[in-house]
Structure formats: structure tokens, C-alpha cells
């Protein structure tokens, strides 16, 4: 849950722990002061008329008493001098405490992806920025129309990371970018929090509050499937295809072969999803599904689902699993129907995903004819799952 501020009326009554846990106070102060002093956030924080943008920020940074004074009773330079002195003291510190649970969860991710210390720091910053109003409101002092260059510069200054390292971390081929765990939104100008994109808000909340395996951290985007009640004998009408696919997937899992993709297609209700579950059971693997709806049963668009898919590839590749991407029309539909689901038009990008995925994936669609033929040829196997005959339906 996002940590929101509570109103306080004076310096004596102000309690920083109403905004952030005790162990994060100094780290937040350092970041906030760098935004105000080193990135010119002071212009908006305290304008020339001695009006504060947010009293809560002033209280948190120990200059709250000036918000209670008449504007003519103090000079702007007096406040800024105090802030600069406080920043200088914090800059001399070697180490800062953090959330123990968040640090543990980031270490989990780091070990799976072999992240650098700088990448860990940026991931921590984004999660805290996403969850705490006091930090987000201070970052808003930088404006709501940052471009990619300004975003990278802000991160470099706030976290004291060299610019060349920031550029490397956010290259399209970097670990964080490829996994979609953290990236910079290059399409629009936004505030700092919006420019930095993570999988979803639930992930940030889970990282701060759950002491679980990493698969639980992404449960809102990638969820384990229940076992099917069906058996292979229920799919005798396509046994020839299944007899080829199962050993192929078995070998792919054992050898950790990359770029393994199977496409099931057919009319709704023919058992495509249950077939994927059945195959997973036969192979003695766990099956994880890329979610197509959130906890409120609202649909998740193709862009967000592909981000979740890339994240699963990065974080779950060391486990004995298969992935299932059901209702794949949202990314593969190549029709010109304006009512068609949102899709990804960048075929080269989709091809690259299919060629480099580390976990074998079963893709499912109701309408193969809406998928470009060149894309269909990218799959190792394309299998139609037809309606069983009347006696087999009765048996099932």
C-alpha cells in the first residue's frame, strides 16, 4: 500500500515516521535535498515570494518553522543555506539504512539476474518513489515534462551514479530493460515517477511487504495454473501432434533451449488451455500463465502482458516451468478491424521475443487467421485443437 502523508500543523507536532519508516528517513532526506539543491528543485520548492510548494517537504527537511512564519520575516537564502548545510552533512555519510525486507527482495532479483550495485540502487529508488508520497512530491519539483535525458540526469544526481553507467543500465539490451522490470518510458514527457516504469504497482507493493519467493512478487502478472482434470487420452483426436510436441518440450526443458514456442489454435471451448495444463502435468513441470485480467477482473492490455512475459523470462528461468500465454490475440492480431484488441505492430520486436525466450512457451489463440503468416512460421509447432467428435465429447 502506498505510504501517504498525514497533516501536521507545527514543527513540534511533526513526526517523520508518519511519512516514512525510521530506517529510511536519512536516505530520503539525502535524495530530497539533492533534488532541491543540486537539480534546482528549490525554484519550485520555495519561490521568490517565500511561498512553499509543500509544507510537508519543508517539515521533513527540518525547515518547517519557516512555513509558520510571515513571509517577510525570513529570507529565501536563509532557508537554502540550512538545506545546503544539511545536505553537506549527509553527503559525508558512507552508509544509509534501508528497508530490510525490500533489500532482501532486491537481492533475490539481483542474484537471479546478476544485477550490478547501481542497478540494485535504481530499482530500490523506483520502488520507494512509487510507494511514498513524500519522495514522489519532492521529485515533482523537477516538473512534469521530463525527457529521457533529463530523467537519466536526475537519477545520476539523486543516486550519485556516473552518467555513463546510467546510460548503460537503460540501454535496450540491458538486463533491466530486457526484463521490463524497470525501464524509461521514451514515448512521452512525464514526471520522474511516470518516466520510470516497472511491471506494475502491485509488484512495488509486494517487494516492500512480502517475504516470499520471487514468483509471489509477480503473482499479479504471472500466476501459477491449477492442474487439469483431463488426461492425454482425452486428446486422442490430435494424438499424432501431441506425440511429437511432448518429447520436443521435454528435451527443450532439459537442455534449456532458447526460443521454444508452441501455438495452439482453434474455436473457443475446444480444450486448448486444458491441453497446455495436461502437457505440463505429463512433463512434471509447473505451468505459469501470463495474466490477462487483474484482481478486479479488468483486462490487461497486450503491452502490459508482454512486459509481464519478459519479466517472467528473466526471473523464473531457473525453475522447472512452462509458460502459457492465453488469448494471444492482443499482441498477434494483424487485422485492420478498429475493434480488435490492442496489439504490438513492431513485428521485429515480437520476433526477437520469440527467438530469445528462455522458458518454453505455449501460446493460445482462437483465431489463427488474424495472425500474420510470417509470424506463424516463427513457432516451432502450430497445432489446431478441433472440436472432438460426439462420442469423445460424451466421454470427457
Amino acid at each position: 500500500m502506498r505510504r501517504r502523508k498525514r497533516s501536521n500543523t507545527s514543527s513540534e507536532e511533526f513526526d517523520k515516521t508518519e511519512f516514512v519508516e525510521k530506517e529510511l528517513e536519512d536516505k530520503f532526506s539525502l535524495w530530497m535535498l539533492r533534488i532541491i539543491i543540486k537539480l534546482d528543485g528549490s525554484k519550485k520548492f520555495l519561490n521568490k515570494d517565500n511561498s512553499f510548494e509543500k509544507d510537508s517537504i519543508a517539515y521533513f527537511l527540518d525547515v518547517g518553522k519557516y512555513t509558520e512564519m510571515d513571509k517577510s520575516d525570513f529570507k529565501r537564502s536563509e532557508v537554502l543555506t540550512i538545506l545546503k548545510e544539511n545536505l553537506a552533512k549527509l553527503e559525508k555519510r558512507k552508509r544509509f539504512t534501508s528497508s530490510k525486507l525490500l533489500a532482501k527482495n532486491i537481492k533475490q532479483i539481483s542474484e537471479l539476474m546478476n544485477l550490478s550495485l547501481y542497478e540494485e540502487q535504481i530499482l530500490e529508488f523506483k520502488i520507494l518513489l512509487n510507494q511514498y508520497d513524500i519522495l514522489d512530491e519532492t521529485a515533482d519539483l523537477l516538473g512534469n515534462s521530463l525527457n529521457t535525458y533529463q530523467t537519466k540526469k536526475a537519477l545520476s544526481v539523486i543516486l550519485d551514479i556516473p552518467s555513463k553507467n546510467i546510460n548503460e543500465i537503460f540501454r535496450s539490451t540491458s538486463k533491466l530493460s530486457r526484463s521490463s522490470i524497470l525501464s524509461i518510458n521514451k514515448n512521452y514527457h512525464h514526471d520522474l515517477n511516470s518516466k520510470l516504469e516497472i511491471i506494475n504497482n502491485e509488484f512495488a507493493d509486494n517487494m516492500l511487504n512480502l517475504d516470499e519467493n520471487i514468483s509471489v512478487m509477480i503473482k499479479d502478472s504471472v500466476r501459477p495454473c491449477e492442474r487439469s482434470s483431463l488426461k492425454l487420452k482425452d486428446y486422442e483426436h490430435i494424438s499424432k501432434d501431441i506425440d511429437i510436441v511432448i518429447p520436443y518440450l521435454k528435451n527443450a526443458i532439459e537442455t534449456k533451449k532458447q526460443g521454444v514456442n508452441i501455438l495452439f489454435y482453434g474455436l473457443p471451448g475446444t480444450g486448448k488451455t486444458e491441453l497446455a495444463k495436461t502437457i505440463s502435468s505429463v512433463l512434471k513441470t509447473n505451468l505459469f500463465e501470463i495474466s490477462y485480467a487483474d484482481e478486479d477482473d479488468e483486462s490487461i492490455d497486450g503491452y502490459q502482458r508482454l512486459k509481464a512475459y519478459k519479466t517472467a523470462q528473466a526471473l523464473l528461468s531457473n525453475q522447472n516451468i512452462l509458460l502459457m500465454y492465453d488469448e494471444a490475440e492482443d499482441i498477434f492480431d494483424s487485422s485492420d478491424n478498429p475493434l480488435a484488441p490492442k496489439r504490438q505492430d513492431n513485428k521485429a520486436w515480437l520476433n526477437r521475443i520469440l527467438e530469445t525466450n528462455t522458458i518454453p512457451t505455449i501460446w493460445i489463440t482462437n483465431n489463427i487467421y488474424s495472425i500474420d503468416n510470417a509470424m506463424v512460421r516463427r513457432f516451432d509447432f502450430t497445432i489446431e485443437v478441433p472440436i472432438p467428435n460426439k462420442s469423445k465429447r460424451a466421454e470427457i
Side-chain angles (χ1 to χ4, degrees), residues 16 24-34 38 60-62 82-96 160:
K16 293 184 181 181
L24 289 169
E25 285 181 13
D26 289 345
K27 178 174 282 189
F28 271 43
S29 295
L30 174 66
W31 290 343
M32 292 162 65
L33 286 168
R34 284 173 174 169
K38 292 190 171 184
F60 193 91
L61 296 177
D62 302 321
I82 294 174
L83 295 180
K84 289 176 182 177
E85 291 173 349
N86 291 343
L87 175 58
K89 293 176 184 177
L90 288 170
E91 295 275 15
K92 293 178 181 178
R93 293 243 325 243
K94 300 283 186 182
R95 301 183 64 180
F96 292 84
D160 192 24

Side-chain angles (χ1 to χ4, degrees), residues 105-201:
N105 288 329
I106 288 178
K107 188 59 65 177
Q108 265 199 90
I109 291 178
S110 183
E111 290 174 354
L112 290 169
M113 298 179 60
N114 193 27
L115 298 181
S116 68
L117 179 60
Y118 288 152
E119 287 169 320
E120 291 179 11
Q121 290 172 348
I122 293 174
L123 182 56
E124 177 197 31
F125 174 75
K126 168 55 185 177
I127 290 172
L128 295 175
L129 179 66
N130 194 79
Q131 294 297 104
Y132 290 87
D133 278 359
I134 192 71
L135 184 58
D136 189 22
E137 289 173 351
T138 307
D140 283 345
L141 298 175
L142 301 176
N144 59 6
S145 188
L146 300 180
N147 58 32
T148 298
Y149 170 78
Q150 292 167 324
T151 301
K152 291 179 178 179
K153 179 184 177 182
L155 288 174
S156 177
V157 172
I158 296 168
L159 302 178
D160 192 24
I161 297 175
S163 296
K164 65 176 184 179
N165 296 97
I166 295 289
N167 288 329
E168 290 173 2
I169 288 169
F170 286 103
R171 288 175 58 187
S172 60
T173 56
S174 71
K175 300 167 190 172
L176 288 178
S177 296
R178 285 203 315 267
S179 69
S180 284
I181 289 176
L182 180 63
S183 59
I184 292 178
N185 183 335
K186 298 179 181 179
N187 295 324
Y188 304 101
H189 291 189
H190 283 301
D191 57 84
L192 184 59
N193 198 9
S194 298
K195 284 292 286 184
L196 293 172
E197 289 191 340
I198 53 174
I199 316 167
N200 52 43
N201 293 333

